[in-house]
Amino acid sequence: MPRTPETLRQHLPVFIIVAILIAVMTFPTIVYVFNTEVFWLPTGKHSDTWMKFWDAWYGWRVLAGEADIRHTDLMFSPRAFP
């Protein structure tokens, strides 16, 4: 039975090729991942962008059983601040 380091060394070209393919296939995104100078959250002047954060928050509440998926009294939250 081969040992783990020997097996990894044997498959090293595959790991390198896969890493290069991932970088090429996600090229526009990979530039933003390593650019730490820019906070690139696409908010702009659209208030609907914050709705997706609320959807994610409320979705976790639904999955946790703390909220109903068909009814909420928080329909107009969050509100965009000027």
Side-chain angles (χ1 to χ4, degrees):
M1 181 193 279
R3 299 179 49 115
T4 303
E6 294 170 2
T7 305
L8 290 176
R9 196 175 315 119
Q10 182 181 7
H11 296 296
L12 185 63
V14 174
F15 293 135
I16 292 172
I17 290 171
V18 168
I20 291 171
L21 285 175
I22 289 172
V24 168
M25 294 299 290
T26 60
F27 175 68
T29 307
I30 201 77
V31 173
Y32 292 113
V33 168
F34 294 112
N35 187 4
T36 58
E37 296 177 7
V38 178
F39 182 67
W40 54 281
L41 183 64
T43 56
K45 296 185 189 287
H46 302 286
S47 62
D48 287 344
T49 302
W50 299 107
M51 180 183 66
K52 294 304 172 188
F53 289 105
W54 183 84
D55 288 345
W57 169 77
Y58 194 74
W60 280 110
R61 287 189 62 192
V62 168
L63 289 175
E66 300 173 0
D68 185 14
I69 195 168
R70 293 179 198 93
H71 174 73
T72 180
D73 55 352
L74 303 172
M75 200 61 170
F76 297 106
S77 274
R79 296 184 183 201
F81 296 105

